[in-house]
Amino acid sequence: MIDKIIPSHIAIIMDGNGRWARSKGLPRIAGHWAGADSLKEIVECCAEIGVKVLTVYAFSTENWKRPYEEVSTIFNLLRYFLQKETDRLKNNNIKIKVSGNIERLPKKVIEEIEKALEKTKNCSGLILNIAVNYGGRDEILRACKIIADEVKKGKIEIDEIDDSLFKKYLFTGDLPDPDLLIRPSGELRISNFLLYQLAYTELWFCEKTWPDFKKDDLMRAISDFQKRDRRFGGLNNNNDKK
């Protein structure tokens, strides 16, 4: 498989932590901790096989609706993950990036994010892009407001606004669009994730919950991706499909 095309950018909705915990008679919190172990394994695998960008959905703008205890646990887990893993990621030439409005996060989490960004800023291998307090609609509205303000100030002409310019104002402005989106746990939706960027992304779903999603599952998703005919709105080589 490695000698075939490897997706340059893989995005993952890390779903099913709570269901995993419930199936084992454990509190939802335990599911999030187990999910962190899956993340470490998937990051290592992506770096090993040559994936350029891995974007993971860690906390959405809608997740604030969850119980306070669970929200606090997710942020504590993110802080712990960065404290424990940043040096190892740096040693493996993995660069950390964060997408989302982090200003609303707890101060200690913001501080840990800033440390991780600084430590890994010169790494040139896999980019681990963590989407936290992220929402696709929120991202698009944010970009529109910034561009409108730039137009108002005379910094941008309306006729200059195209897809290329618009992308620069997204959180992922310096990243390629995802080639492959993976969502475990049996749900068949994208849940306000990378709405603009997923226009021609291949979608892959499976029944396993995120804590049970391992390297073999990632490789199976990539294998399926490699069998698909990506036409980006055009025709395939035989010119017989629309």
Side-chain angles (χ1 to χ4, degrees):
M1 179 190 297
I2 302 302
D3 59 346
K4 296 182 179 180
I5 295 175
I6 296 296
S8 177
H9 183 173
I10 296 177
I12 301 179
I13 299 174
M14 301 185 293
D15 192 24
N17 295 333
R19 272 161 282 178
W20 178 90
R22 187 167 60 247
S23 71
K24 298 181 180 302
L26 300 171
R28 289 177 60 86
I29 293 171
H32 293 300
W33 284 96
D37 290 332
S38 289
L39 176 58
K40 287 186 282 187
E41 180 170 330
I42 297 306
V43 169
E44 290 175 0
C45 181
C46 285
E48 179 184 330
I49 65 176
V51 174
K52 302 299 183 185
V53 183
L54 173 63
T55 296
V56 294
Y57 208 3
F59 188 87
S60 76
T61 50
E62 291 75 31
N63 286 157
W64 292 102
K65 301 174 185 177
R66 295 188 177 188
Y68 174 80
E69 182 183 19
E70 182 173 352
V71 171
S72 296
T73 295
I74 293 172
F75 289 143
N76 287 335
L77 178 56
L78 174 59
R79 183 182 170 203
Y80 175 80
F81 177 86
L82 293 174
Q83 286 176 335
K84 184 179 179 182
E85 298 296 324
T86 295
D87 286 340
R88 187 175 66 86
L89 294 173
K90 179 182 178 182
N91 292 336
N92 285 283
N93 200 29
I94 297 173
K95 181 177 182 177
I96 296 174
K97 176 179 171 62
V98 173
S99 291
N101 182 7
I102 67 171
E103 287 80 7
R104 189 181 172 185
L105 304 183
K107 182 179 178 181
K108 290 183 178 180
V109 177
I110 295 174
E111 290 173 350
E112 211 58 53
I113 288 174
E114 291 174 344
K115 290 178 185 176
L117 296 178
E118 179 63 26
K119 281 186 177 181
T120 64
K121 66 179 182 180
N122 294 320
C123 294
S124 57
L126 172 70
I127 295 173
L128 172 58
N129 180 33
I130 304 173
V132 56
N133 197 24
Y134 173 91
R137 290 181 174 179
D138 179 69
E139 177 184 39
I140 292 170
L141 288 172
R142 173 182 174 274
C144 288
K145 290 178 181 179
I146 296 174
I147 292 172
D149 187 58
E150 298 273 273
V151 171
K152 183 178 180 180
K153 293 177 179 178
K155 295 181 180 180
I156 297 176
E157 296 292 331
I158 291 180
D159 290 342
E160 293 180 291
I161 303 174
D162 57 12
D163 178 64
S164 178
L165 183 142
F166 189 82
K167 284 182 177 180
K168 294 178 181 178
Y169 290 86
L170 299 175
F171 290 119
T172 59
D174 56 343
L175 302 176
D177 289 341
D179 298 297
L180 174 64
L181 170 71
I182 296 172
R183 180 166 192 162
S185 84
E187 302 293 351
L188 305 178
R189 55 179 179 268
I190 57 176
S191 298
N192 199 22
F193 186 44
L194 301 175
L195 297 183
Y196 194 90
Q197 298 89 333
L198 293 179
Y200 285 101
T201 299
E202 297 294 322
L203 309 182
W204 193 87
F205 304 97
C206 73
E207 294 294 327
K208 283 189 175 182
T209 56
W210 176 243
D212 285 329
F213 191 92
K214 303 300 179 184
K215 177 179 178 179
D216 288 346
D217 302 298
L218 175 66
M219 300 307 284
R220 184 160 58 94
I222 293 174
S223 179
D224 285 351
F225 167 85
Q226 292 170 337
K227 298 171 185 175
R228 299 187 186 183
D229 179 17
R230 304 188 73 200
R231 300 189 299 277
F232 300 94
L235 300 178
N236 69 354
N237 293 332
N238 296 322
N239 292 325
D240 60 357
K241 292 185 181 180
K242 294 183 179 180

